[in-house]
Amino acid sequence: QIIIVQQNYLHKFNVDLIQSLSLMGHVLINLQNFEQALNFILQSTKLFPYLYPNNWPLVGLEFYTCGKLLNYFEQFKKGLKYLYRARNILAITHGYEHKIFNDLIQLINQCEYDLKEKK
């Protein structure tokens, strides 16, 4: 309910609101409520680029989370768009040898394979 109050009273680019959306999404992931989590993460990924620079690590990680959730719901094409954006950012911020980056590449490969199999 606090998110609804914030959305009613704060500007959509308010730092606290954007961070609350992201935090709520991650809390819901931890509670394994993936459908509602996706809703909050989608909202935050639309707003994060207005809050942070293009190659900010947090933006890349948020795109990664969004792509991973979309992949979970078998929305491969949409998920790949977020995963590609995450790859572009995390390659710069984390580097090609980082575990997160390597996990992301594996997820992209799996998502591309699943998309081909779905057709």
Side-chain angles (χ1 to χ4, degrees):
Q1 291 184 354
I2 192 76
I3 301 280
I4 294 169
V5 171
Q6 286 183 330
Q7 287 176 324
N8 287 335
Y9 291 102
L10 299 176
H11 190 274
K12 71 177 183 177
F13 297 131
N14 181 280
V15 173
D16 295 324
L17 173 59
I18 296 169
Q19 290 176 341
S20 294
L21 291 168
S22 176
L23 180 61
M24 189 59 154
H26 290 278
V27 166
L28 289 165
I29 289 170
N30 287 334
L31 295 172
Q32 297 184 352
N33 187 340
F34 301 121
E35 193 170 332
Q36 279 191 317
L38 178 60
N39 180 43
F40 284 102
I41 296 294
L42 280 169
Q43 289 180 63
S44 68
T45 55
K46 289 178 185 167
L47 299 172
F48 262 40
Y50 294 100
L51 182 61
Y52 298 106
N54 289 337
N55 291 325
W56 197 255
L58 193 56
V59 175
L61 293 171
E62 198 76 355
F63 286 145
Y64 182 15
T65 302
C66 189
K68 197 170 188 177
L69 284 169
L70 287 164
N71 186 49
Y72 175 80
F73 288 108
E74 297 184 358
Q75 296 181 30
F76 305 120
K77 192 171 185 177
K78 189 173 181 181
L80 277 170
K81 290 179 184 178
Y82 285 95
L83 294 174
Y84 291 149
R85 289 181 75 182
R87 179 190 60 195
N88 294 341
I89 296 169
L90 297 179
I92 295 167
T93 62
H94 287 63
Y96 296 106
E97 303 300 320
H98 197 281
K99 182 177 177 1
I100 291 174
F101 186 79
N102 290 322
D103 291 345
L104 171 60
I105 295 303
Q106 286 180 345
L107 182 60
I108 288 172
N109 291 337
Q110 182 64 47
C111 196
E112 288 172 340
Y113 175 80
D114 291 341
L115 183 61
K116 288 177 187 174
E117 289 296 311
K118 190 176 177 182
K119 289 183 179 180

